[in-house]
Amino acid sequence: MGLHSAQKKYFPLRGIDGVVQLFEAELAKPEPDLSLLSLVLGFVEHFLAVNRVIPINVPGVRFEPLEPDCPTSCFPTVELGMISALYERFTAQIRGAVDLSQYRRTASVSSRELVKKVSDVIWNSLSRSYFKDRAHIQSLFSLITGTKLDSSGVAFAVVAACQVLGLKDVHLALSEDHAWVIFGKNSEETAEVTWHGKGNEDRRGQTVTAGVNEKSWLYLKGSYMKCDRNMEVAFMVCAINPSLDLHTDSSELLLLQQKLLWLLYERGDLDRYPMAMGTLADLEDQDPLPGKESPLKIHLKAVNSAQKYYNNEHIYPYMYLAGFHYRHRDVQEALRAWAEAAQVMQDYNYFREDEEIYKEFFDIANDVIPTLLKETATTAESSGEGEEGGEGADKEHPKQAAALSALQDPECFAHLLRFYDGICKWEEGSPTPVLHVGWATYLVQSLSRFEALVRQKVTIITKEPESQDDEDQSSEDLREGRRRGPRRESKLEDQSSPPTGAAGGVDGDGGAAGQPKKVGEGGIRRRSTQTLRPGDVEGKPKSPSPDPASPPSFQQQAGPMVVFQSEKMKGMKELLCAAKVNSSAIKLQLTAQSQVQMKRQKSTAAGDYSMSFMKRQRKSL
């Protein structure tokens, strides 16, 4: 069975607008044809990025310039004959390999055996050996013409094959770095259909329940995207890879991806797809289309989508937002977004299959933030040297003024602390250590960018557990970590007072330390991790505390408040506010517990998968 006449009338597809019109027509149907659309995108990507040749003497393929006066910008014409032949070949392969009469189906619900059989057909059609992380092998065009697919491409191909067989209950499930399928009544069943990472470990047919229960980021604790057909179309659009090489992208593919994402966005098909909105916002930031929403507004919608539909368990919406602010050199907002990402991350356990997000945080902590603060410091210094004009210097050099204010802003320092607190908390109870001395080196460097007076304006609260009896469901490792924490903290409390009266206003046993303890207990789950001001705790207006033990400096202090959740950052509370940054003590504190955890948990590394660690090539988003 080939293409319908209603689909054939759109061919040949000329230029970007021709492809967009086909997608628009398919999206208007209850069941857009995933196979057809994937073949079209794969064909276009092949001739614009994989086999980008001079548009002459290519058998069966015609190229037309996108603009009459620009012959170098060409777009392949998608002919009906070639796409129809590829479509019939794929559908015939699937229907010929799967006999539906051999599988039990009740109430139009597929069985696990049937889904496993379809995944076997796709799996067995792949070449036995090829580099599975190479670019441009995510579409059905790559499967049919080259028998190659990447990991997520296999999962998509299984869903497309199930659609060919009429299995309408089988859909794509997506986390932020993995894909599998959902099926059955109300999409309650899950099945692995592809690999993850470098290891070709075959888990096909298994559920993802174990990964969800482990609280690994790979499965988002169950808050993954359950796609409908239009979201599966959005997935294939996001999977377009415009790269020609490591440094060059195809402008034609970028524009095609941008227009298709706008089509999906304006239809509302991206409302539950935060990463797709992040991709669209990045494209708009790079080359905006006239009359469209601002990139920042789209980024904020992506964050809101993750909070509304996915229990605020997604990391990349904050990463996209931070990247936007970083490119525009908005230091405070970039640090705020990275801090929010780390605060979301703190509720996960780190497993070796989470290496992709580890590398993201590693780069941010040890490259991006130090570089940003270094550039900010350099700009501020150059502003200080040339500031002979007095008050008019800020007006003439707003960039220098912003840089100078960022390093003098205790809010920026508070966001930096929240970022590291989230990373340290992520490590607690995880079978794989996160932090090592490399992290500590750059932490010291970033801390040193802020003067002692700025650091001492930040109020640090160390929130202790309610009681050990309430933690029965936690692991032994978590309980041991909490028992060690208070002992170390009590030693710090017994030492001399903080360097300044401002910091001392929150370090004692007065009301300042008592109020924030209630923040985050019940209600909105991440309230405790936000940067707060003393007067804003529990939503109360700024007013004198009724607790007579509160020192006067607490009411007068205007700096932000940070509530530490991790034991490591609690142990560094005194060091962070010291007049001089003690690099040796900070490195010792940040890395000591990692070594203890590594030795203690080697024998109980549940979920410690056999894939080689930190070797996989970085994916492009």
Side-chain angles (χ1 to χ4, degrees):
M1 181 178 176
L3 297 174
H4 298 290
S5 58
Q7 296 171 318
K8 293 179 180 179
K9 71 179 183 180
Y10 290 96
F11 289 86
L13 306 179
R14 290 190 171 90
I16 292 175
D17 291 339
V19 176
V20 172
Q21 287 173 6
L22 175 65
F23 271 75
E24 188 173 12
E26 288 294 321
L27 287 168
K29 301 192 307 186
E31 282 274 321
D33 195 330
L34 301 179
S35 303
L36 170 62
L37 299 180
S38 181
L39 287 169
V40 168
L41 287 185
F43 173 86
V44 172
E45 182 173 327
H46 178 80
F47 286 102
L48 288 178
V50 182
N51 187 27
R52 191 179 178 94
V53 295
I54 299 174
I56 56 175
N57 300 326
V58 181
V61 180
R62 293 186 295 116
F63 290 82
E64 296 181 2
L66 286 176
E67 300 176 10
D69 299 332
C70 186
T72 57
S73 180
C74 295
F75 198 87
T77 301
V78 185
E79 301 285 355
L80 175 62
M82 179 174 292
I83 296 299
S84 180
L86 294 172
Y87 184 89
E88 290 174 5
R89 181 176 172 182
F90 176 70
T91 55
Q93 175 184 344
I94 299 302
R95 291 195 178 101
V98 181
D99 183 1
L100 293 177
S101 64
Q102 296 181 1
Y103 299 91
R104 175 179 52 83
R105 296 191 74 215
T106 58
S108 300
V109 173
S110 304
S111 64
R112 184 172 301 276
E113 293 75 17
L114 177 54
V115 173
K116 175 68 162 54
K117 174 61 178 178
V118 176
S119 72
D120 286 342
V121 173
I122 299 298
W123 188 279
N124 294 329
S125 65
L126 300 174
S127 298
R128 291 302 92 190
S129 61
Y130 63 95
F131 183 55
K132 295 177 174 59
D133 273 342
R134 62 178 291 187
H136 313 298
I137 57 171
Q138 77 280 5
S139 69
L140 295 184
F141 183 88
S142 173
L143 173 65
I144 300 302
T145 62
T147 64
K148 297 179 180 67
L149 283 173
D150 60 16
S151 173
S152 59
V154 170
F156 176 83
V158 170
V159 174
C162 288
Q163 186 188 40
V164 168
L165 295 170
L167 311 181
K168 295 184 178 182
D169 64 311
V170 181
H171 287 281
L172 192 64
L174 296 172
S175 70
E176 295 185 297
D177 192 42
H178 191 35
W180 57 96
V181 299
I182 51 177
F183 61 97
K185 184 179 179 181
N186 299 323
S187 299
E188 294 174 351
E189 299 291 330
T190 62
E192 295 273 19
V193 293
T194 185
W195 67 90
H196 178 265
K198 261 199 165 180
N200 291 335
E201 186 180 349
D202 186 2
R203 299 183 217 158
R204 288 176 299 122
Q206 299 178 19
T207 69
V208 301
T209 305
V212 170
N213 293 337
E214 285 175 341
K215 297 175 64 176
S216 71
W217 167 75
L218 192 66
Y219 296 97
L220 295 175
K221 293 190 291 185
S223 297
Y224 51 82
M225 292 189 296
K226 298 181 178 180
C227 298
D228 56 22
R229 287 287 180 252
N230 287 15
M231 290 176 69
E232 288 156 2
V233 173
F235 168 78
M236 76 170 81
V237 174
C238 290
I240 293 174
N241 189 336
S243 61
L244 303 177
D245 52 45
L246 292 175
H247 309 289
T248 313
D249 289 336
S250 164
S251 59
E252 301 90 350
L253 278 176
L254 286 172
L255 184 58
L256 173 62
Q257 186 180 42
Q258 189 174 4
K259 288 191 172 183
L260 288 175
L261 285 174
W262 270 121
L263 171 64
L264 290 156
Y265 179 83
E266 291 170 347
R267 285 177 45 86
D269 294 327
L270 303 187
D271 289 350
R272 294 175 178 263
Y273 203 150
M275 286 186 70
M277 285 191 274
T279 302
L280 174 59
D282 277 358
L283 291 169
E284 277 297 299
D285 191 32
Q286 178 179 337
D287 189 11
L289 295 179
K292 300 294 186 180
E293 287 185 26
S294 68
L296 179 57
K297 187 175 181 180
I298 302 172
H299 279 306
L300 294 176
K301 282 189 175 181
V303 170
N304 182 66
S305 174
Q307 294 172 345
K308 181 178 180 180
Y309 298 112
Y310 302 109
N311 200 28
N312 199 23
E313 305 285 6
H314 290 202
I315 306 297
Y316 276 110
Y318 295 105
M319 294 293 198
Y320 276 114
L321 179 61
F324 171 83
H325 290 304
Y326 173 78
R327 289 190 297 273
H328 292 270
R329 290 304 184 264
D330 188 337
V331 180
Q332 185 186 102
E333 291 304 318
L335 289 172
R336 185 196 306 275
W338 282 320
E340 290 296 333
Q343 295 293 321
V344 174
M345 201 74 227
Q346 73 177 1
D347 291 330
Y348 286 101
N349 290 330
Y350 176 48
F351 292 84
R352 293 196 171 187
E353 283 207 332
D354 299 335
E355 58 173 317
E356 202 66 33
I357 201 64
Y358 174 91
K359 288 186 283 188
E360 291 284 356
F361 280 112
F362 183 87
D363 287 348
I364 290 166
N366 304 317
D367 182 16
V368 181
I369 289 179
T371 301
L372 177 62
L373 295 180
K374 180 181 179 181
E375 292 175 354
T376 304
T378 303
T379 305
E381 289 172 4
S382 63
S383 173
E385 292 174 0
E387 201 176 81
E388 297 179 359
E391 297 178 357
D394 286 356
K395 298 180 181 178
E396 295 176 7
H397 303 285
K399 186 175 181 180
Q400 283 96 346
L404 185 61
S405 64
L407 292 180
Q408 299 297 325
D409 186 359
E411 291 279 356
C412 291
F413 183 64
H415 294 322
L416 182 67
L417 296 183
R418 291 174 61 234
F419 173 78
Y420 276 97
D421 184 51
I423 300 297
C424 292
K425 185 66 175 177
W426 177 30
E427 184 183 54
E428 291 181 13
S430 297
T432 305
V434 175
L435 300 160
H436 51 72
V437 70
W439 290 77
T441 300
Y442 286 100
L443 169 59
V444 171
Q445 180 178 319
S446 297
L447 294 176
S448 301
R449 298 294 179 188
F450 296 89
E451 296 178 357
L453 290 176
V454 177
R455 289 185 276 112
Q456 290 163 3
K457 289 180 182 179
V458 177
T459 303
I460 298 176
I461 301 298
T462 56
K463 180 182 178 183
E464 301 299 342
E466 286 292 321
S467 67
Q468 294 293 341
D469 296 336
D470 296 336
E471 304 295 335
D472 292 338
Q473 297 178 356
S474 302
S475 66
E476 286 296 326
D477 298 332
L478 281 172
R479 289 201 293 270
E480 289 174 15
R482 288 193 179 102
R483 284 197 293 267
R484 279 196 305 274
R487 287 201 300 269
R488 184 173 61 250
E489 187 62 29
S490 62
K491 292 179 181 179
L492 290 174
E493 298 287 349
D494 294 338
Q495 293 172 0
S496 59
S497 59
T500 66
V506 298
D507 198 37
D509 296 328
Q515 285 186 357
K517 222 172 186 182
K518 298 179 182 178
V519 179
E521 296 174 9
I524 300 176
R525 54 188 297 275
R526 299 202 191 282
R527 189 69 56 80
S528 65
T529 62
Q530 298 174 355
T531 300
L532 304 173
R533 293 185 182 276
D536 296 334
V537 177
E538 298 187 47
K540 296 179 181 178
K542 294 183 180 180
S543 60
S545 172
D547 189 346
S550 298
S553 59
F554 181 74
Q555 287 89 9
Q556 297 171 1
Q557 184 170 341
M561 179 187 297
V562 177
V563 182
F564 278 167
Q565 307 289 330
S566 67
E567 298 301 323
K568 288 186 176 181
M569 294 299 285
K570 290 175 185 177
M572 283 191 286
K573 182 174 67 171
E574 303 286 344
L575 300 172
L576 298 171
C577 297
K580 184 179 179 181
V581 176
N582 189 334
S583 60
S584 299
I586 290 176
K587 290 178 182 179
L588 182 64
Q589 173 67 21
L590 196 68
T591 58
Q593 200 171 5
S594 298
Q595 296 165 3
V596 172
Q597 281 191 341
M598 201 184 314
K599 292 178 182 177
R600 188 178 71 244
Q601 294 182 344
K602 268 186 178 179
S603 60
T604 59
D608 187 6
Y609 302 112
S610 59
M611 55 176 276
S612 58
F613 180 47
M614 292 289 291
K615 297 286 177 88
R616 187 155 62 94
Q617 185 181 6
R618 188 74 169 276
K619 283 185 179 179
S620 60
L621 294 174

